[in-house]
Amino acid sequence: MPFDHATDFPTRLSVDEARQRVVELCAQRRVRVDSVPLDRALGRVLAVDVVAPQPIPPFANSAMDGYALRGADLPRDGEKRFRLRGVMLAGATEALDVGEGECVRITTGAPVPRGADTVVVKENVRVDGDAIVVPGGERAGANVRPAGEDLDEGEIAAHAGEVLSAARLGVLASCGETQARVSRRPRVALFVTGDELVPPGEPLGFGRIHDSNRFSIGGLLEGIGIVPEPVAHVRDDRATLRETLLAAAAACDVVITSGGVSAGEADHLPGLVEEIGRIHFWKVRMKPGMPILCGEIGKALVFALPGNPVSSLATFLTLVQPGLLAMQGADASPRRWRAQLAAPIRKKHDRTEFFRARLDSAADGRLVATTLEQQGSGMLRGVAEANGLIVVPEDVHELAVGDVVDVVPLPGLC
Ligand code: AMP
Ligand code: MG
């Protein structure tokens, strides 16, 4: 039976309303915090602020290989001799002293000797016995990295909610951390529905297509570090779907389904979620992707994505991904770029439309967006060739060449 939607839940929300609702629901379902070794923490969301326990770098050190000396002794013009007092290499355990007219040979990363405030690079001096000769024009204070120039003691080195990039792992390590306190990954169940689906590798019988969504949605999940539970294929059979939804909801934080969420007679998802859980909203004023549903079953949040491959991708990127980030305490505001249109766009409806596009950096520094020919919501190749989605807002119906538009970068571009 098709779902009768004389309902008490919101329907036909705008994209922004839907995303806000998703983010609120997910922020109420924050996952727990785990400690993981730094070498397992790439891409995870930091759960606490990390504070520098000492200045970083911890001591003033040389930025170059050269000679440490007193800047006040440098010649304005002509040349000047500096007597060599000794050598300090990176890892030196004791500081030497530098007095007037003296210098210490030094390597990058070595502590600056007491009394010195300047390093002259070795290529700029001439060695003459136990002295060096420095020409005029060197700058006092050059090539010294002061203690704390990167971070002061007590300064926040990395903030809760930041995603641990390679460079941030380095920051944590330089603070002496061996572990990172990060949000646990949400446990996600993904299943695809449809009597017409067969897995790749199996022959296509009459009216059958290969299931591609498990790979494209699965790939988007993996792109944000989430490996879903083994993906199930469920026929358009109400009883089996019911059982699968209940089992997935009991085991996971989030259940993502593909297909069967429109108003067709084999579209069981809305009625089932209403029956065994609760619908938060159904249908969003977007194209592609309008039939998306967000609900809950038990403790799990449910995202029922439309089966059209491009619709499932667009709804994942605009609504599900921000939600999964919010669950981990990360910034969920969608990343948008601005670009200039290379071709006009026309749309007739009042929904937000996402056009598949190529973003190219023009020689003059502009970012240029070109819509691709394949805009059908079933046309996966159009997305595969795209690296961004142009966002045309509800109230905009015509755009000309050169107009500036918002673009959602597709994974791989950002
Ligand atoms: P549905 O949302 O179930 O009405 O499906 C809409 C369209 O998407 C139909 O043409 C389906 O055959 C297609 N479709 C549904 N699920 C998948 C999938 N997993 N992979 C590829 N196409 C799909
Ligand atoms: Mg279907």
Side-chain angles (χ1 to χ4, degrees):
M1 275 286 283
F3 182 48
D4 169 14
H5 60 95
T7 56
D8 56 356
F9 50 78
T11 181
R12 296 188 61 88
L13 300 186
S14 72
V15 173
D16 287 343
E17 287 164 346
R19 183 167 38 237
Q20 207 179 332
R21 187 75 188 110
V22 165
V23 169
E24 275 165 22
L25 289 162
C26 289
Q28 291 159 8
R29 291 168 165 77
R30 282 286 297 276
V31 290
R32 285 202 311 275
V33 172
D34 267 349
S35 276
V36 297
L38 276 197
D39 58 4
R40 309 292 315 152
L42 185 67
R44 303 292 295 263
V45 179
L46 198 57
V48 294
D49 291 345
V50 175
V51 169
Q54 77 263 321
I56 296 172
F59 50 85
N61 66 98
S62 179
M64 299 295 276
D65 295 336
Y67 295 87
L69 43 75
R70 297 168 18 151
D73 298 347
L74 284 168
R76 271 185 183 278
D77 35 40
E79 295 184 337
K80 188 160 172 190
R81 286 174 69 84
F82 289 80
R83 198 165 62 81
L84 189 60
R85 282 290 305 262
V87 180
M88 285 180 72
L89 306 183
T93 49
E94 254 182 278
L96 300 177
D97 286 300
V98 165
E100 190 180 345
E102 293 177 341
C103 68
V104 162
R105 201 162 80 233
I106 194 165
T107 60
T108 306
V112 171
R114 271 191 301 268
D117 59 9
T118 302
V119 172
V120 179
V121 300
K122 66 180 189 189
E123 289 79 6
N124 291 0
V125 309
R126 199 171 76 242
V127 179
D128 182 14
D130 67 349
I132 60 167
V133 179
V134 179
E138 294 293 331
R139 189 173 59 80
N143 302 318
V144 170
R145 304 188 283 215
E149 77 164 359
D150 199 6
L151 285 164
D152 281 333
E153 180 177 335
E155 201 178 333
I156 297 180
H159 295 82
E162 288 174 348
V163 175
L164 289 174
S165 61
R168 286 208 176 101
L169 290 181
V171 169
L172 263 55
S174 68
C175 288
E177 303 287 342
T178 58
Q179 308 264 318
R181 300 278 293 157
V182 296
S183 293
R184 188 168 59 70
R185 294 288 197 204
R187 275 189 312 259
V188 174
L190 167 62
F191 60 87
V192 293
T193 72
D195 284 355
E196 73 279 34
L197 304 178
V198 291
E202 283 186 19
L204 292 175
F206 175 76
R208 300 285 184 272
I209 58 166
H210 285 130
D211 162 24
S212 58
N213 285 354
R214 79 167 58 206
F215 299 98
S216 37
I217 304 174
L220 289 173
L221 283 167
E222 260 193 82
I224 52 168
I226 295 176
V227 178
E229 305 292 304
V231 181
H233 169 211
V234 188
R235 306 277 314 256
D236 291 317
D237 170 68
R238 205 170 195 280
T240 321
L241 275 167
R242 187 178 199 278
E243 215 173 285
T244 312
L245 275 173
L246 284 170
C252 291
D253 303 305
V254 172
V255 178
I256 301 175
T257 66
S258 137
V261 70
S262 306
E265 57 196 278
D267 291 338
H268 301 299
L269 263 299
L272 271 174
V273 177
E274 177 82 330
E275 180 189 310
I276 57 179
R278 176 177 163 207
I279 295 179
H280 290 298
F281 62 82
W282 183 28
K283 296 185 182 160
V284 172
R285 300 198 301 270
M286 64 187 286
K287 182 180 180 210
M290 170 135 116
I292 181 177
L293 177 149
C294 172
E296 66 183 49
I297 297 173
K299 289 205 176 83
L301 210 55
V302 178
F303 293 101
L305 311 186
N308 268 316
V310 188
S311 311
S312 62
L313 192 127
T315 47
F316 182 95
L317 287 174
T318 47
L319 299 172
V320 184
Q321 179 164 306
L324 291 169
L325 291 173
M327 268 189 171
Q328 299 171 73
D331 176 12
S333 47
R335 193 144 170 212
R336 293 267 170 103
W337 292 12
R338 306 280 284 160
Q340 268 187 313
L341 279 184
I345 289 185
R346 224 173 249 269
K347 86 171 170 43
K348 294 206 182 80
H349 54 80
D350 289 329
R351 288 179 275 159
T352 300
E353 182 156 359
F354 296 87
F355 286 87
R356 275 62 88 199
R358 284 274 340 148
L359 286 181
D360 292 296
S361 162
D364 57 9
R366 283 174 312 129
L367 196 59
V368 175
T370 313
T371 39
L372 295 172
E373 260 174 42
Q374 286 149 320
Q375 295 292 335
S377 58
M379 296 178 175
L380 253 187
R381 192 159 66 91
V383 186
E385 285 174 6
N387 57 5
L389 299 175
I390 296 172
V391 188
V392 180
E394 294 188 349
D395 56 352
V396 175
H397 297 96
E398 269 195 56
L399 289 161
V401 172
D403 281 353
V404 175
V405 288
D406 276 359
V407 181
V408 178
L410 287 173
L413 185 67
C414 33

